[in-house]
Amino acid sequence: MASLPLQLLVLGAVLGVALAAAALILISFVAFVTATEMPPVYQHEEEKFFLNAQGQKERLPSIRDPPTKRLSVVVPSYNEQKRLPVMMDEALGYLEERQKQDPAFTYEVIVVDDGSRDQTSKVAFKYCQEYGSEQVRVVTLLRNRGKGAAVRTGVFSSRGEKILMADADGATKFPDVEKLEKGLNDLQPWPDQMAIACGSRAHLQKESIAQRSYFRTLLMYGFHFLVWFLCVKGIRDTQCGFKLLTREAAARTFSSLHVERWAFDVELLYIAQSFKIPIAEIAVNWTEIEGSKLVPFWSWLQMGRDLLLIRIRYLTGAWRLEQTRRVN
């Protein structure tokens, strides 16, 4: 009779393991059957064009075309009419000054309006009128599809030898692009001309923890653990929006990208590591800017779900890397 509680304990443990295994199998099955191998990038006809400084329609170029600029800057924007001007003023001020010092340096800034409900496109277009459409272009998506989809749209329309992702809030100081360029150069020789330099806020972690609530700190650590455990090893900060890619690396990774919302950075780096693309993580200056679109609990929950689906779908073969994306 004394062994009965022990038997019940063992039985409970066995049942717990069995239920966990059944749940994992069920999640894997659902993830597999609901996944599409390589969803085509759908573009409405209007999204294939941009307005030049005179207000005339011109067709967007393709990343498959030969590069004609040294640097493309892709700025995903959603309801950013208030924060965008500060970022654009700093970025264009830096880029113009750099071009004066080095006439061989050429650039473009591509603002991708992700279906905003405010005047984001109009605010961005004023810079196109001021600097010209060779320097600034605005691409407006007809509906909100997520940050990952907006960045991918800009990348696929870019003309640069190198492509920089930069957030519209201006949280990262734009001159830090030189740090990323140095980090990229330090990775040479690049296999198949592919390399990535990621801006990182990991060096600011102690300071950010002191300013956050215990709950947000717990969510942050949980997310970082899931990223490390499920997807990306060796990169401490996958979510910094300041990333520099060679044109070849951008074409290769974004052509395999599935996730279109907040967790797209993780899948992007997962793809890069799967292709053995060298990645440098570079500390950058970063400031918290009010107006973030992230809702602390629900956004982290959504990203956690996406991380699990990324791992399961690649593990089960529902998603594969060696495919060419179709563009409708």
Side-chain angles (χ1 to χ4, degrees), residues 11 33 64 133 147 178 206 217 230 236 244 297 301:
L11 180 61
V33 298
R64 305 298 176 188
S133 53
K147 183 179 179 182
E178 295 178 25
K206 288 184 179 178
T217 299
L230 296 172
R236 295 174 64 195
L244 184 67
F297 178 74
L301 192 66

Side-chain angles (χ1 to χ4, degrees), residues 89-318:
D89 288 340
E90 184 194 23
L92 289 165
Y94 166 82
L95 293 167
E96 284 290 298
E97 183 60 31
R98 183 167 170 178
Q99 192 171 57
K100 287 178 184 177
Q101 295 177 6
D102 178 12
F105 174 77
T106 54
Y107 74 89
E108 66 173 347
V109 177
I110 305 171
V111 179
V112 184
D113 181 351
D114 186 23
S116 297
R117 294 189 297 269
D118 65 1
Q119 303 299 310
T120 295
S121 286
K122 289 185 179 179
V123 170
F125 188 66
K126 289 180 181 178
Y127 289 92
C128 174
Q129 292 175 315
E130 180 178 353
Y131 289 88
S133 53
E134 271 301 300
Q135 270 65 48
V136 179
R137 293 182 174 182
V138 182
V139 181
T140 303
L141 304 185
L142 297 189
R143 63 180 178 87
N144 176 255
R145 287 165 47 195
K147 183 179 179 182
V151 173
R152 183 179 59 207
T153 298
V155 166
F156 281 174
S157 305
S158 64
R159 298 173 288 165
E161 296 172 3
K162 296 183 180 70
I163 300 170
L164 176 71
M165 296 159 43
D167 287 343
D169 61 4
T172 306
K173 295 304 177 185
F174 205 86
D176 279 1
V177 67
E178 295 178 25
K179 296 180 180 180
L180 299 191
E181 289 173 326
K182 183 181 183 304
L184 210 60
N185 290 332
D186 289 345
L187 293 173
Q188 289 183 332
W190 303 328
D192 297 323
Q193 294 300 304
M194 294 190 294
I196 300 173
C198 298
S200 175
R201 303 158 297 181
H203 62 295
L204 302 172
Q205 189 168 329
K206 288 184 179 178
E207 180 183 340
S208 65
I209 288 173
Q211 297 174 356
R212 282 194 177 108
S213 67
Y214 288 115
F215 180 65
R216 288 191 67 182
T217 299
L218 182 64
L219 286 175
M220 180 191 72
Y221 276 122
F223 178 75
H224 288 172
F225 172 76
L226 287 176
V227 169
W228 172 84
F229 184 71
L230 296 172
C231 298
V232 177
K233 304 291 193 294
I235 305 295
R236 295 174 64 195
D237 182 8
T238 59
Q239 300 309 109
C240 181
F242 209 59
K243 293 182 175 67
L244 184 67
L245 303 87
T246 63
R247 188 174 184 82
E248 293 77 10
R252 190 74 177 273
T253 53
F254 277 94
S255 290
S256 293
L257 192 73
H258 299 78
V259 177
E260 294 192 325
R261 295 201 175 269
W262 297 110
F264 86 96
D265 299 83
V266 177
E267 189 192 3
L268 187 76
L269 295 174
Y270 177 87
I271 292 167
Q273 290 189 337
S274 299
F275 283 139
K276 310 297 184 188
I277 297 173
I279 303 171
E281 186 172 12
I282 309 296
V284 295
N285 295 300
W286 186 84
T287 306
E288 184 83 42
I289 305 294
E290 291 185 3
S292 172
K293 305 302 184 298
L294 274 173
V295 181
F297 178 74
W298 294 111
S299 296
W300 288 100
L301 192 66
Q302 182 188 49
M303 286 193 283
R305 180 205 64 185
D306 287 344
L307 294 181
L308 184 61
L309 292 178
I310 288 169
R311 184 59 178 163
I312 289 175
R313 284 171 171 168
Y314 279 113
L315 198 63
T316 58

